[in-house]
Every structure is written in structure tokens, then in C-alpha cells.
Amino acid sequence: MFTLQPPPSYRRKGDNMVSKLQRSLYGLKHVSRNWFSKLSTALISFDFTQSEADHSLFFLHRAPASVFVLVYVDDIIIIGFDATLLQDVKDRICTQFHTKDIGVLKYFLGIEVARSQHGLYLCQRKYTLDILDDCGLIGCRPADFPMEQNLKISDASGPILNDPAPYRRLVGRLIYLTITRPDIVHTINILSQFMHQPRQPHLDAAHRLLRYLKGTPGQGLLIPAKNALERSAYCDSDWASCPMTHRSTTGYCIFLGSVPISWKTKKQVTLSCSSAEAEYRAMAVTTCELTWLTYLLRDLGLPPPVRIPLYCGNQATLHIAANPVYHERTKHIELDCHVVREKLQQDLICTLKISSLDQLADLFTKSLGRPQFLHLRSKLGIRDRHAPP
């Protein structure tokens, strides 16, 4: 909390004065909100439209060209397909704000951007190497996969760390790495559950993940220049996987063509009485994400999809979704049933069975062995720009 005090000898004894703030000072809690309000007002005055799906995204469709502005505090990305319109937008912004044009996007908030005739490549190689260097593991022996298969760690195993701060800082930095590394999301989800009281096995698992990153520091996402725009999704759950609470884990991955655009691993908030119930909760979460992405992609100019394939490996879950009178296993998941069935009836999604060997969402719910992990990772669109062809 900040308190403004008048200058010395400015206030006399007994006076009750109120100070009026003329401008937002850096560091005050209202600064970011006031800044974004001023910037968004200016962009809207330039005929931009603020996205309802993501309020930090602004778009201007002026046929046949479009311009998109993505805002993160005072860092701005401007994307356009018409050089004249793009320059006009940049000039308008410069008239109201002191901005610096640093040219073609190459590095943004720790994310490296590389271009070629094959497409756009996103990675966090420098960020990864900085983490390894800070932990003193820049010369460690690499590992082929991030976590030992079927490893179960709890909050009561092993001695408590004397100083938990390095573990918390490490996991916090690793969470940011998941922006371009969906292959480590499951491991980091497990490690982040012990921030309150980390123990030695938790630190050992984190170091195992760093050894995996040592072998793959330059891996990232390749967005092909020629890519289909069809959407598809994979969802999965690991029933009662948490050894402390016996809650299930939800995992999903959503693709635009061959590129993953959204992924998540999260422990379910309630207990599931069966694997079918856990799978259905995962399907409902994925359906909600698909609905939001539909709104976002519509703002980007993509037409609404028809029947997005949603792949699930549990046959009972598919029956529950397809049959509105299948009540035997739905006593505790009525809300999730309504969400999925509504989108099925609206033809937003269509549910399909997939074998466990090809279920990409397994990467987000289970600690897999080396062969299966590498098999599924190869289908995620993850590439290493620095690796030999």
C-alpha cells in the first residue's frame, strides 16, 4: 500500500488536506489498469475491435487486409498482411504513445521466433540454457524422457529440504517453459503440487527433468507455412492417480492442423467414482476449451468449424455422451453431461474412439516409458531447429 505525504512544511498543524494524483506513478496498483484502458481506448478509436474471447487481442478487418494487435502490459506485437495498412497503424500508435519499433519479431518475453520458407518456429532455447546454468547442471548427462515411468511421489516421502526457495524458484521458471514445451507439462504439474513443503524426492524428480531438457534445449513448435486449418482434440484422464487425494488427472491437447495450439494438465477438483466419470470430466473441460477457441479463431477470421473430432479412449464415456438416457454412471456428472451433449447437438464436436497407443493426451496424464513417450512426442509437432537434419 502506498501513502502520499505532502512536502515538508507544506501542511500546517490542524489542516486536513487531500492530495490529488495528476498521473499514474509507476509502481502503484492502478497503473497497469489505467495504462491498458488508455491503450485500448486509443486502439478502438483507430477502428480496432477488442476481442471478447481475449481482451488483450485487438483486430482490424479492412478487406482484403487485416491487422492484429496483441498486448502484454507495454509489450505489443503487431501482425499484418498489408504493408501500407500496417505502417498506418504503427504511425497512429506513435502519435499518442512514445513507442520504439524494434522491427521484425525475433524475441518476445523469452520466446525465440525464427522464420524460414518452411514456416514459423517458436522455442525457448536461451531460457532453457539459463535455467540449466543457474542450477549448475549445464554439463549433466542428458535423459531421454522427463520422468521415470509410473513414478509416484507424495508429500510424505523423503526428508524435507532445508531451504525450499531454490526448488520453488526452479519450478516457477519451468512452468513458464511449458509455453513452447507441451512434452513436459505433466511432469511440471506433479512438481508444482509440492511447493508448500518440497522434499528430496521432489528435487530429484526436478533434476531428472532438467537432464531431459539438457538433451533437448532447442526443441519447440514449428508452425508450417502451409497448414490445414481443421481443428481436432484429444482428451484423457488418469483415474485416481494422485497418491495423496486419489483425485484423477485431466489432460487434453487441441490441434489446428498439425500444430498444437492449446494443452493442459490439471488435477480434477472432485473425486471420480469410476474411470468413465473421470474421462467424462476431462471431455467436458476439453469441450469448454474448444468452445472458447472457436470464439477466438472467429475473431482471427477463421470460419466456425463443423463437428470437431474429439478423441477419447474410454468406450463407456462415448456411450454416455451419445445416449441422453444413459443414467447409470451419471449421477455425479450431470453438469458435465449437459455441456458435452449440448455441443454434440450443436455439431461443434463429434466424439471418436482412439486406441491407447495413439492417444496423444496420454503425454499429459501419465509418466510414460521411453518408447511410448518418444512415439507420442513425435506427433505433437515438436521440432529441434538446432538438431542436424
Side-chain angles (χ1 to χ4, degrees):
M1 180 177 179
F2 297 90
T3 303
L4 295 177
Q5 298 291 344
S9 70
Y10 184 77
R11 183 176 62 183
R12 292 177 296 182
K13 186 177 181 181
D15 286 347
N16 293 320
M17 305 180 66
V18 176
S19 299
K20 181 181 179 181
L21 185 64
Q22 297 291 339
R23 58 190 295 266
S24 298
L25 299 177
Y26 188 85
L28 296 179
K29 62 181 180 180
H30 299 300
V31 171
S32 59
R33 183 171 59 188
N34 292 342
W35 153 251
F36 185 77
S37 176
K38 183 176 181 179
L39 177 62
S40 59
T41 301
L43 290 173
I44 292 173
S45 70
F46 301 156
D47 296 329
F48 276 85
T49 301
Q50 188 173 19
S51 171
E52 292 293 335
D54 185 348
H55 287 181
S56 62
L57 173 66
F58 300 82
F59 57 90
L60 171 63
H61 296 307
R62 187 176 294 171
S66 298
V67 175
F68 304 94
V69 175
L70 187 63
V71 180
Y72 183 84
V73 192
D74 56 352
D75 294 310
I76 304 173
I77 298 177
I78 305 177
I79 304 169
F81 306 99
D82 183 276
T84 303
L85 180 58
L86 187 62
Q87 187 61 46
D88 179 59
V89 171
K90 291 162 64 175
D91 292 341
R92 288 189 176 190
I93 294 177
C94 290
T95 58
Q96 294 201 21
F97 304 99
H98 296 289
T99 59
K100 180 181 180 182
D101 185 358
I102 58 177
V104 177
L105 180 64
K106 295 181 179 179
Y107 194 80
F108 185 76
L109 301 176
I111 302 173
E112 302 168 41
V113 182
R115 288 176 176 80
S116 72
Q117 60 181 355
H118 302 292
L120 201 65
Y121 182 76
L122 308 177
C123 74
Q124 293 171 277
R125 185 174 186 272
K126 181 181 181 301
Y127 184 78
T128 302
L129 294 176
D130 288 343
I131 295 176
L132 291 169
D133 188 35
D134 289 347
C135 296
L137 295 175
I138 196 70
C140 66
R141 184 178 64 182
D144 292 332
F145 50 104
M147 179 173 280
E148 296 180 16
Q149 186 174 10
N150 300 323
L151 177 65
K152 300 290 184 181
I153 53 179
S154 66
D155 56 0
S157 59
I160 299 175
L161 297 179
N162 295 328
D163 183 11
Y167 177 87
R168 293 168 179 167
R169 182 171 182 268
L170 171 60
V171 174
R173 299 182 71 182
L174 289 172
I175 290 174
Y176 189 69
L177 190 58
T178 60
I179 294 176
T180 59
R181 296 294 298 263
D183 53 328
I184 62 174
V185 170
H186 171 64
T187 303
I188 295 177
N189 172 261
I190 293 177
L191 296 177
S192 62
Q193 297 178 30
F194 307 105
M195 302 280 272
H196 61 289
Q197 193 177 67
R199 296 172 180 264
Q200 188 60 45
H202 311 150
L203 183 60
D204 294 339
H207 286 169
R208 168 61 183 260
L209 175 58
L210 291 177
R211 289 176 51 211
Y212 169 71
L213 294 175
K214 169 61 191 309
T216 59
Q219 283 196 345
L221 297 176
L222 174 64
I223 305 175
K226 297 181 180 180
N227 184 39
L229 299 179
E230 289 81 10
R231 276 146 271 189
S232 60
Y234 298 79
C235 67
D236 188 36
S237 72
D238 193 8
W239 181 48
S241 59
C242 178
M244 294 89 70
T245 63
H246 298 291
R247 293 179 182 176
S248 305
T249 300
T250 289
Y252 66 75
C253 186
I254 301 174
F255 286 78
L256 182 64
S258 61
V259 182
I261 58 174
S262 180
W263 52 85
K264 189 173 186 178
T265 297
K266 186 177 181 180
K267 188 190 297 184
Q268 295 181 1
V269 296
T270 57
L271 289 170
S272 297
C273 299
S274 66
S275 59
E277 183 178 334
E279 291 272 2
Y280 208 98
R281 294 189 192 280
M283 185 181 290
V285 171
T286 311
T287 302
C288 292
E289 182 71 7
L290 283 170
T291 304
W292 174 78
L293 282 173
T294 299
Y295 298 141
L296 180 63
L297 294 176
R298 180 192 60 191
D299 292 338
L300 296 178
L302 295 183
V306 178
R307 298 173 64 85
I308 302 173
L310 175 56
Y311 296 98
C312 175
N314 190 291
Q315 192 67 53
T317 304
L318 297 177
H319 287 318
I320 296 173
N323 188 352
V325 295
Y326 191 70
H327 298 302
E328 181 181 355
R329 302 188 183 184
T330 61
K331 294 179 181 178
H332 307 292
I333 53 174
E334 290 185 5
L335 183 60
D336 293 330
C337 286
H338 288 305
V339 169
V340 177
R341 287 173 184 165
E342 180 184 49
K343 299 307 176 183
L344 277 170
Q345 293 171 1
Q346 295 175 357
D347 282 338
L348 175 68
I349 63 172
C350 62
T351 56
L352 300 172
K353 181 74 167 62
I354 191 171
S355 67
S356 58
L357 293 177
D358 297 320
Q359 175 55 279
L360 297 183
D362 272 355
L363 275 174
F364 303 90
T365 58
K366 302 174 181 66
S367 301
L368 303 173
R370 181 181 182 275
Q372 183 66 1
F373 175 82
L374 297 179
H375 169 67
L376 295 179
R377 190 188 68 179
S378 66
K379 297 186 176 184
L380 277 182
I382 299 177
R383 302 289 185 271
D384 192 342
R385 184 170 64 95
H386 304 276

